[in-house]
Amino acid sequence: MLGENHALIYEFPDFSDQIKHLKSNNATFATMAGRYHELDHKIRALELTKVPTADEHFLALKLERLNLKDKLYQYLVHDAI
């Protein structure tokens, strides 16, 4: 669905406390989460405003977001509070 919010708390609702904890206590996680949020915001803006953009650019943004999501998930499952 276009314009769907993929914020980490929506993607991983069972890990909401851990997401908050890691954002506050793990600089690497916080940096990656910040970039993930930035990408998600940018992708949603492109989808909702229908700003012309090259397919390659759009797909690169989505792929980077997906890769970050995978890495962030690994932190969540391996760094249990």
Side-chain angles (χ1 to χ4, degrees):
M1 176 182 290
L2 294 178
E4 188 174 335
N5 188 340
H6 289 275
L8 291 174
I9 58 170
Y10 298 129
E11 293 294 303
F12 306 119
D14 294 342
F15 292 101
S16 61
D17 290 339
Q18 190 155 349
I19 290 167
K20 292 173 191 170
H21 174 78
L22 286 169
K23 280 184 175 181
S24 298
N25 298 296
N26 185 307
T28 302
F29 184 90
T31 300
M32 287 192 310
R35 177 64 180 155
Y36 178 90
H37 174 74
E38 178 185 321
L39 287 165
D40 187 49
H41 181 74
K42 193 178 288 188
I43 291 165
R44 278 188 289 134
L46 288 171
E47 290 174 341
L48 294 173
T49 61
K50 301 192 188 302
V51 172
T53 186
D55 285 344
E56 295 82 16
H57 174 68
F58 187 67
L59 290 174
L61 292 173
K62 290 181 94 172
L63 182 59
E64 184 180 353
R65 180 181 66 182
L66 179 63
N67 286 330
L68 275 172
K69 181 179 173 182
D70 287 343
K71 289 177 184 176
L72 291 163
Y73 180 74
Q74 291 304 312
Y75 268 88
L76 293 171
V77 297
H78 294 298
D79 282 348
I81 297 175

